[in-house]
Amino acid sequence: MTSPSPIRRAREALGKRLREIRKDSGLTARELASRAGWHESKCSRIENGRTTPADDDLRAYTLHCGATGQTADLIATARNIEGAYVEWRRMERSGLRRAQESVIPLWERTRHFRAYSSWLVPGPLQTRAYVEALLRSIRDRRALPDDLEQAVQVRVDKQQVLYEGPRRFAVLLEESTLRHRIGGAETMAGQLGHLLSLATLPNISLGVIPLSADRTALWPVEDFWIFDDAQVNVELVTAFLTITQPHEVRMYAQAFTALADLAVYGASARTLITSAIDSLG
């Protein structure tokens, strides 16, 4: 038996949440359907995850169940379901360039970027050599069409967001990120030196979480980006996850704040980066 798709699981989770709202209100599914003017089977379809509810369906749920304070969050959750989980193989079926171009509108409209990484230097801070090594590895591992040169250029061009307009970047790296060799020693030395230069820009805050930090309260988590307070992107092994539900975006923002408290900045961060360069021998 195959497991449910991520979209089906998301629908089921939303349906369960709606069922709980209805039960907390004391209404039966039949009573809610009657008040909303629905066929009585509609509640069952929605609550069992067989269909994604429309905005008006969710407004009816919260209105008749006395939970209008949850309307906006429920609508954001439902809208996010179909586009939240995109498999890399679907995004990259024509090559890597399309995946690189897909986020350009988001980057252009964002003013406050927050990024956390425990594995790789984030895209806007990467050197061309580092970009090329990463994308070549992805191309070969996933057996993708070869548009490497074009994809590298798109990613490099996107880095202009660092210098255009009133944009702010807060970047947190685990110290281990500085030690993961991508593209060999020469490429890593260039990349780490580039980080030292970028850290001097007034619109970039670069923090490094030392290996010696006490992680009792919060251990390393998945890499993520927060765009303003509107969206979070997470890169998984198999897919690209987009999160827009307000309560989940807030949770990632809270995690970012907690991680930022563990980081060192300024001269202390530069010392860790320089130590990583020296270790390349």
Side-chain angles (χ1 to χ4, degrees):
M1 180 182 295
T2 59
S3 60
S5 70
I7 291 176
R8 177 60 187 269
R9 290 197 296 268
R11 285 179 182 151
E12 290 173 349
L14 176 58
K16 181 178 179 181
R17 185 175 169 191
L18 291 168
R19 184 183 301 113
E20 291 171 350
I21 289 172
R22 176 179 57 75
K23 288 185 174 182
D24 287 345
S25 74
L27 291 177
T28 66
R30 178 174 293 181
E31 288 170 336
L32 175 56
S34 176
R35 294 187 184 189
W38 298 336
H39 188 280
E40 62 183 64
S41 66
K42 184 168 183 174
C43 283
S44 176
R45 294 198 307 273
I46 291 174
E47 293 181 2
N48 286 292
R50 290 196 293 271
T51 186
T52 303
D55 293 359
D56 285 343
D57 298 333
L58 295 169
R59 293 187 183 100
Y61 257 94
T62 54
L63 174 63
H64 297 300
C65 295
T68 54
Q70 299 187 52
T71 305
D73 193 65
L74 288 166
I75 288 175
T77 299
R79 289 179 179 177
N80 192 47
I81 285 175
E82 300 299 330
Y85 185 96
V86 180
E87 289 186 281
W88 290 118
R89 64 180 180 179
R90 179 159 61 115
M91 184 181 290
E92 298 170 345
R93 62 180 177 268
S94 62
L96 286 164
R97 178 177 179 174
R98 177 171 176 263
Q100 296 302 311
E101 292 174 335
S102 66
V103 297
I104 290 176
L106 174 62
W107 285 29
E108 289 179 342
R109 67 175 179 264
T110 299
R111 291 297 176 265
H112 183 200
F113 296 76
R114 282 167 286 179
Y116 163 79
S117 180
S118 58
W119 298 107
L120 301 170
V121 174
L125 310 187
Q126 295 169 359
T127 63
R128 176 181 285 272
Y130 191 94
V131 170
E132 185 171 346
L134 281 178
L135 295 186
R136 179 183 292 109
S137 174
I138 293 171
R139 179 201 63 188
D140 295 345
R141 189 168 65 251
R142 297 176 184 162
L144 301 174
D146 187 7
D147 61 351
L148 179 63
E149 184 177 343
Q150 296 94 325
V152 169
Q153 190 60 51
V154 171
R155 177 169 285 195
V156 171
D157 289 345
K158 288 192 302 184
Q159 295 174 349
Q160 286 302 310
V161 297
L162 291 172
Y163 312 102
E164 296 174 349
R167 294 185 173 93
R168 294 178 294 129
F169 294 81
V171 178
L172 298 176
L173 305 177
E174 297 284 350
E175 185 181 353
S176 57
T177 301
L178 309 176
R179 305 282 177 162
H180 293 151
R181 294 198 182 190
I182 304 296
E186 183 177 351
T187 294
M188 276 307 300
Q191 176 61 72
L192 295 172
H194 187 55
L195 284 180
L196 291 173
S197 298
L198 291 175
T200 65
L201 296 178
N203 63 326
I204 296 179
S205 169
L206 178 62
V208 180
I209 302 175
L211 291 170
S212 58
D214 185 342
R215 307 309 294 262
T216 306
L218 185 60
W219 46 89
V221 297
E222 67 272 17
D223 292 6
F224 62 87
W225 277 88
I226 306 174
F227 299 91
D228 293 324
D229 290 311
Q231 178 174 320
V232 175
N233 284 354
V234 182
E235 293 190 7
L236 308 176
V237 172
T238 59
F240 183 79
L241 186 64
T242 299
I243 296 168
T244 58
Q245 298 94 317
H247 73 281
E248 290 196 64
V249 173
R250 286 194 296 271
M251 289 180 67
Y252 272 96
Q254 291 164 2
F256 188 88
T257 298
L259 289 163
D261 288 341
L262 297 172
V264 297
Y265 303 85
S268 296
R270 291 194 295 273
T271 296
L272 293 177
I273 296 171
T274 301
S275 175
I277 294 173
D278 293 340
S279 73
L280 293 170

